[in-house]
Amino acid sequence: MNVNEVVREFLVESAENLDHLDQAFVQLEKDPGNTTTLAAIFRTIHTIKGTSGFLGFGALERVAHAGENLLSRLREGMLTLDARMTSALLRVVDATRAMLAQIEASGDDGHGDHSALILELEALAVPAHPADAP
């Protein structure tokens, strides 16, 4: 399997996984404490992060990593999902879709500036009361 085939497979799998994320976020909004759904979302973002890093798509890797960190803290119970977090995580999905389209069109993950989203995700990942965190 050559690099182009690996990238193509990554694009197809990632698109399918993102479609499942849309449904998972709807479920999570109805039941924010659903650890199974949260774990599935985490795994999807984690897989995209790892594969994009392996394939050299640094911008995609950075966005996915920031989303993964927030999801990790939610999974650990350090944070409780709220509307701001959900909105930011949905923007991770949107940014990921855009970068995947860019990879498909040009072979790179683009030169978009996702720094504001990354900073927001990092801020949201910090517990409001660190002393209360487990």
Side-chain angles (χ1 to χ4, degrees), residues 21 25 29 41 45 63-64 66-68 70-71 74 81-96 114 116-125:
L21 275 190
F25 274 113
E29 282 185 310
I41 293 169
I45 299 297
V63 170
E68 178 190 48
L70 175 56
L71 288 162
L74 289 164
L81 185 70
D82 63 24
R84 288 181 57 220
M85 291 174 190
T86 301
S87 177
L89 290 167
L90 288 171
R91 287 197 309 282
V92 168
V93 173
D94 291 343
T96 300
H114 302 285
L117 175 57
I118 291 169
L119 288 173
E120 180 181 3
L121 290 161
E122 289 172 349
L124 289 169

Side-chain angles (χ1 to χ4, degrees), residues 1-10 13:
M1 187 178 289
N2 67 35
V3 173
N4 288 336
E5 290 171 351
V6 172
V7 171
R8 234 183 339 271
E9 188 173 314
F10 167 65
E13 284 183 18

Side-chain angles (χ1 to χ4, degrees), residues 55-129:
L55 294 174
F57 301 124
L60 179 53
E61 180 184 20
R62 286 186 293 280
V63 170
H65 180 72
E68 178 190 48
N69 284 343
L70 175 56
L71 288 162
S72 179
R73 288 188 176 77
L74 289 164
R75 281 181 56 195
E76 294 164 0
M78 296 177 68
L79 300 169
T80 302
L81 185 70
D82 63 24
R84 288 181 57 220
M85 291 174 190
T86 301
S87 177
L89 290 167
L90 288 171
R91 287 197 309 282
V92 168
V93 173
D94 291 343
T96 300
R97 283 188 204 282
M99 286 185 269
L100 291 172
Q102 180 67 31
I103 292 167
E104 187 170 22
S106 70
D108 69 47
D109 56 359
H111 305 288
D113 182 8
H114 302 285
S115 58
L117 175 57
I118 291 169
L119 288 173
E120 180 181 3
L121 290 161
E122 289 172 349
L124 289 169
V126 177
H129 306 286

Side-chain angles (χ1 to χ4, degrees), residues 8-22:
R8 234 183 339 271
E9 188 173 314
F10 167 65
L11 292 172
V12 169
E13 284 183 18
S14 295
E16 289 172 359
N17 287 335
L18 290 175
D19 288 342
H20 293 295
L21 275 190
D22 291 336

